[in-house]
Each structure stands twice: as structure tokens, then as C-alpha cells.
Amino acid sequence: MVRLSIIMPVYNEEAILPEAIAALQELEPAPDEVLIIDGQSSDDSIKIAQEAGLQILLAPKRGRASQINYGVAKASGDIICILHADSMLPVDAVAVMKNVMADKHMALAGFTPRIAGSNGTRWGSSIHNWLKTWYTPMLFRPRLFFFHGVRLLYGDHAMFFRRQNFLEVGGCDERVNVMEEADLCIKLARFGKTKILNRWVWTSDRRITAWGRWRANYIYLKVGLMWAFGARERLADHYPDIR
């Protein structure tokens, strides 16, 4: 029987974690495993997860790439879904993911982010998010895009893949704490196809609210271009932390 693990890297997410946990508890069927990978939070994130009865692992090193690597190493699932604390999957996501990965030619897949908040959906940013999964690989990884159909997925896509493949490519580059999922897409392309599902994953618009619409999309574009031209360690300096 194929097992599926959801891994949620967390750092100081007490404000949004209750909503994230409630959404996880609504999944039907439930995932075989949920691991909260805490990156040395200084708030009540661990307490909130403990009260919900979730399994918490304390990562030895803070940083989303490091936390993801640690979580995948500890996970028992054959399929891994990386879910950010500010994103919520559709109720039938577990069945959808297992069905998609039943295709042996599929290496990596994810959902379509719908960026939303108290004032509704941010359609402009949501559409740009979708478009950049096409234009970034087309411009900067044309061989992979045109000959292998590679799309670049990001953290808010709730991407999922086979654990064994992740381990074979050495996991996420721990120098990268922004765009680490895009790097992973390139690595996993050797195993097969990439797919973005026509199903929403709801993602908080908290960054757009904090930065403003135009600044937010400028930051997304800037960081994406820096990544495309080889920047790795410096990316986080240009991506202000929002909690």
C-alpha cells in the first residue's frame, strides 16, 4: 500500500498554524503521516501543534531547505507533499496526489495556488504566479522546458514527489532558503514529467498585504531572476520575512 506523508516546515507560525491544522484535519481521506518540522521557533508554534496531537520534529538547522531535507529523511511515506503553513489543500488532496503519482512517468506535481485573504482572491498575483511556472523555465531552462516539458513549481504549489527520488538527487540545496522548490524541480526532471493540477491550493496573501501588490510582484520577479542567473545564498536577503 502506497503511503503519503505531508511535511510542513514551520518557523514562528503561531498566527496561522491553527487554521493550517484545521484544514489538515478536514482532509478525506487523511494522509498516512503529517510531520511538523520546526526550525527553532520562539513563539507558540510547537505548543499549538502539540495540542492538536501532531507529530513534531525539531530540525537541527533552521531554514526551509534544511527543514524539508530533515523531514523527508524522517518520513515514512512513499509520496511526500511539502505544504507551507500558509497554504490549505483541497479536501480530497490525498486521493488526488496518490492517483497522480500512480503514473510511473510522473516525477513531480503540484496544485494551482489561489492567493487569497480577507478581501478575497488576489487574481492578478495568482495569474502571475501561474504564468511564471511557464516563462521562467522557457527563458532560463529552455532545453528542459521544450524537450522535457518541465514547469517550475514554488512553495505555494504544495508540490509532491516520490521520497526515493528526492533522496537520490540529494534533496534540497541547503544554501537556498527561497526558491528551493524550483531548484528541486530541475533535479527531479530526470525521473519524468512535471505537472500542475487544475485544482486550487489556497494560499495566504499575507506577503502581498504586508508589501503591497506592486512591491510584492516586483520582489517575486526580482528573486526569480536572481535565481535564474545563479544566485543562491543571497536570495533570502531580498525576500523579507513575513509572519
Side-chain angles (χ1 to χ4, degrees):
M1 180 179 177
V2 175
R3 289 176 55 83
L4 185 142
S5 299
I6 293 179
I7 292 176
M8 182 181 289
V10 167
Y11 175 68
N12 287 349
E13 294 285 11
E14 65 177 6
I16 205 162
L17 200 50
E19 186 177 7
I21 291 171
L24 282 172
Q25 293 171 336
E26 291 178 359
L27 295 178
E28 181 59 42
D32 299 286
E33 180 179 55
V34 175
L35 298 178
I36 304 296
I37 313 299
D38 186 76
Q40 305 169 27
S41 293
S42 58
D43 65 0
D44 284 337
S45 293
I46 293 178
K47 179 182 177 182
I48 292 168
Q50 286 175 333
E51 289 176 349
L54 296 179
Q55 185 175 354
I56 304 156
L57 299 179
L58 304 180
K61 182 180 176 183
R62 190 175 81 193
R64 205 158 57 207
S66 301
Q67 289 170 241
I68 290 171
N69 286 346
Y70 186 73
V72 175
K74 298 294 185 181
S76 64
D78 306 289
I79 301 168
I80 304 291
C81 173
I82 306 299
L83 181 66
H84 288 192
D86 62 354
S87 297
M88 293 181 287
L89 293 164
V91 172
D92 62 345
V94 172
V96 169
M97 289 187 281
K98 288 185 177 182
N99 183 59
V100 169
M101 297 309 291
D103 179 354
K104 301 301 182 182
H105 301 291
M106 189 66 60
L108 171 75
F111 296 83
T112 300
R114 181 170 175 171
I115 304 171
S118 58
N119 293 321
T121 299
R122 303 272 190 169
W123 287 112
S125 295
S126 296
I127 291 170
H128 178 223
N129 193 312
W130 181 79
L131 287 173
K132 70 183 180 182
T133 69
W134 289 90
Y135 72 69
T136 305
M138 182 173 63
L139 292 174
F140 299 105
R141 298 293 189 276
R143 182 182 63 81
L144 289 176
F145 178 78
F146 288 108
F147 293 103
H148 299 281
V150 170
R151 305 270 296 275
L152 288 190
L153 282 69
Y154 307 96
D156 48 12
H157 284 84
M159 62 192 293
F160 52 97
F161 45 82
R162 293 182 183 85
R163 179 177 182 270
Q164 185 59 41
N165 291 349
F166 180 94
L167 296 176
E168 285 184 35
V169 300
C172 294
D173 184 344
E174 295 191 4
R175 297 174 302 160
V176 186
N177 284 315
V178 178
M179 300 283 291
E180 70 282 352
E181 287 93 347
D183 259 15
L184 189 58
C185 288
I186 302 300
K187 290 182 177 182
L188 291 177
R190 71 178 71 172
F191 296 109
K193 299 182 293 184
T194 303
K195 184 175 184 178
I196 299 178
L197 307 180
N198 293 322
R199 296 292 306 279
W200 297 122
V201 55
W202 278 263
T203 297
S204 170
D205 68 348
R206 58 183 177 170
R207 289 181 177 81
I208 298 172
T209 299
W211 298 337
R213 178 178 59 180
W214 294 111
R215 181 170 178 244
N217 282 281
Y218 165 74
I219 290 171
Y220 297 147
L221 180 61
K222 177 183 178 181
V223 169
L225 289 173
M226 289 178 67
W227 173 86
F229 285 108
R232 291 299 180 265
E233 294 94 335
R234 296 183 295 109
L235 292 178
D237 297 337
H238 299 269
Y239 198 81
D241 190 31
I242 299 296
R243 291 288 184 272

